[in-house]
Amino acid sequence: MADNELGTFLRTCREAVAPADVGLPTGPRRRTPGLRRSELATLAGISAEYLTRLEQGRDRNPSASVLGALSDALRLDTDERLLLRRLAKASGADAVLCAGATAPSHSVRATVRALLDRLEPTPAVLINWVGDILAHTDGYARFAGPLGILDGEQPNVVRYLFTDARAHTVYPDWDRVADDQIARFRQGAPLPDPQVAALIDELTVTAGAPFADRMAAAPAPPRRSAHDLVAHPEVGPLRLSHEMLFLPDADAQTILVHLPADEATTAALDRLNGRKPGALRAVRA
């Protein structure tokens, strides 16, 4: 890579943002295109001196929170945020991570697979402490596949919710779902763990304020019982309850089970699974 690709990228993005796009007046005496350094620094909540050091390559270790704030201020899309994070990582921003750290387990015990088989056709999924999807029922694939949750080589429920634009359509009450997801993540994941820290740093950059602000807020317990509304593209609105089954072992894995919360959702899931009406029973409050 070139000597200062991170700084060059930041400067290019800054010069591509029109002042009017971020609510700033456009004066007649601007010498540079786009935003001034001082303007971007103010929008991102950092000093103009620090931004200058980043652009000139004199500081090569911006924190994830700084990258997230710059991404928000520059209105970067997901691909641009990923590129910014990659450039920062290449310049040394991820030195905090331990190269020899043990990754969260992706192995699935045979007994857990058998349990998932017994749960068919209920949508049920096995996740580890960073939200990676490790195994699931066929019922979950039929439910989650059309939503985009299973896209990619290593699907992750936290990453999907905060970085996939489809999630805001899938979950009409996205803010509440996001609050609950972060509450469960902070409760279940060991925050000092290097792999957890890596995901937090990644999403602080790629998701920006919607993720970072929730992680910075005071911890809150997840809801014990609640219903999530899902706008499913194939069978219409779903009202789902969920139960979490925590597996008592060092792998820190959890089975998340989605259950129909009303008769309309029961019928919709039956249609999705190609089963006769009444194969799944609604949860009674």
Side-chain angles (χ1 to χ4, degrees):
M1 78 182 263
D3 184 56
N4 186 28
E5 285 192 345
L6 173 62
T8 300
F9 181 72
L10 284 173
R11 185 176 66 256
T12 301
C13 291
R14 173 172 61 81
E15 293 175 349
V17 177
D21 292 341
V22 293
L24 296 175
T26 303
R29 300 182 60 183
R30 284 184 172 268
R31 298 179 181 178
T32 59
L35 299 177
R36 300 185 178 102
R37 280 180 180 150
S38 59
E39 292 169 336
L40 175 58
T42 298
L43 291 171
I46 62 176
S47 70
E49 179 186 359
Y50 182 53
L51 178 58
T52 300
R53 294 203 306 270
L54 287 175
E55 289 192 357
Q56 294 178 348
R58 293 186 287 119
D59 190 308
R60 298 174 181 267
N61 291 281
S63 67
S65 60
V66 167
L67 294 176
L70 287 169
S71 298
D72 290 343
L74 291 168
R75 299 190 173 187
L76 302 186
D77 61 27
T78 300
D79 289 339
E80 291 167 333
R81 288 169 181 264
L82 288 170
L83 175 57
L84 178 62
R85 181 175 181 270
R86 181 182 68 78
L87 294 175
K89 181 177 180 180
S91 71
D94 279 358
V96 67
L97 300 182
C98 301
T102 302
S105 174
H106 286 78
S107 63
V108 182
R109 298 198 309 271
T111 51
V112 176
R113 292 187 181 277
L115 175 58
L116 288 173
D117 287 341
R118 293 287 184 178
L119 290 174
E120 295 286 7
T122 302
V125 58
L126 179 71
I127 57 177
N128 62 15
W129 63 42
V130 294
D132 292 335
I133 293 177
L134 310 180
H136 52 76
T137 61
D138 290 341
Y140 184 82
R142 287 186 285 269
F143 159 73
L147 308 181
I149 297 176
L150 296 177
D151 290 357
E153 294 183 3
Q154 182 56 75
N156 180 285
V157 294
V158 184
R159 185 180 291 114
Y160 167 80
L161 183 63
F162 283 95
T163 66
D164 195 312
R166 291 171 292 185
H168 287 268
T169 300
V170 166
Y171 296 104
D173 193 5
W174 185 89
D175 283 314
R176 190 181 71 169
V177 173
D179 289 344
D180 275 356
Q181 181 65 74
I182 291 300
R184 290 196 296 268
F185 178 70
R186 296 176 73 171
Q187 182 184 66
L191 297 184
D193 179 86
Q195 301 302 320
V196 176
L199 181 63
I200 292 173
D201 282 354
E202 173 196 334
L203 294 180
T204 298
V205 178
T206 57
F211 175 82
D213 289 351
R214 286 177 169 85
M215 289 298 299
R223 292 176 295 165
R224 287 187 174 272
S225 61
H227 299 138
D228 288 339
L229 300 179
V230 175
H232 200 280
E234 294 188 0
V235 293
L238 301 175
R239 189 165 175 261
L240 297 168
S241 297
H242 55 77
E243 288 290 343
M244 302 191 74
L245 311 178
F246 299 95
L247 303 184
D249 55 30
D251 292 340
Q253 296 174 353
T254 302
I255 296 176
L256 176 62
V257 184
H258 298 283
L259 300 166
D262 56 33
E263 297 301 334
T265 301
T266 297
L269 289 179
D270 283 341
R271 292 196 305 274
L272 196 62
N273 287 303
R275 296 169 65 88
K276 294 180 179 180
L280 296 177
R281 294 185 178 183
V283 176
R284 298 293 185 182

